[in-house]
Amino acid sequence: DLESDFEDYDEDDDELADESLLERLAALKDMVPARHQRAISSFASTVGYWGSFGAQLTGKLAWVATTSVLLVVFPLALESDRDKMMQQWESEQQDAGTAAGPPPMMPPAGPAGMLAPAPGLA
């Protein structure tokens, strides 16, 4: 008796394996009352609508964010980088100037382009 139950189970299992997903959904349609089918359909339509709306809104917001970054933030970052490079260049020029010592000073010119006497010699 137990063996026949087990054999019946195996046969049912084989029948289920041969059944496609579409066939299973069609069988469910016959089992679910029309009122529930309409409610499920309405719910699925609502979820689909809001999902589509959300995806479109997300795409539009991503477009606005991306173009804003490209038009505002990116040039700002380039300018900041250029300022840093300029400061670095100026600091290198100052370092090079201090390493060589101060430039030689010329004494001020006297009347008619003559050099003024050095201090302490006059």
Side-chain angles (χ1 to χ4, degrees):
D1 190 37
L2 185 60
E3 284 183 24
S4 66
D5 287 343
F6 186 70
E7 290 173 6
D8 290 341
Y9 179 75
D10 283 342
E11 290 173 10
D12 290 341
D13 215 17
D14 287 340
E15 289 173 11
L16 289 177
D18 293 338
E19 192 175 30
S20 71
L21 180 63
L22 189 59
E23 290 170 339
R24 287 184 181 198
L25 289 175
L28 277 177
K29 182 179 176 186
D30 295 335
M31 294 172 56
V32 177
R35 178 175 52 119
H36 291 258
Q37 289 178 15
R38 284 191 299 274
I40 292 169
S41 175
S42 174
F43 177 75
S45 293
T46 303
V47 168
Y49 169 77
W50 285 109
S52 173
F53 177 77
Q56 287 178 357
L57 183 64
T58 301
K60 289 177 183 179
L61 289 175
W63 172 257
V64 168
T66 302
T67 53
S68 295
V69 165
L70 288 174
L71 294 174
V72 176
V73 177
F74 187 67
L76 206 68
L78 289 176
E79 186 64 28
S80 172
D81 189 46
R82 191 167 70 172
D83 285 345
K84 285 180 186 176
M85 289 174 52
M86 188 64 144
Q87 288 173 355
Q88 182 182 6
W89 180 79
E90 288 173 351
S91 119
E92 289 173 1
Q93 293 300 316
Q94 287 176 353
D95 290 346
T98 22
M105 292 184 62
M106 294 291 292
M114 294 179 53
L115 293 176
L121 294 178

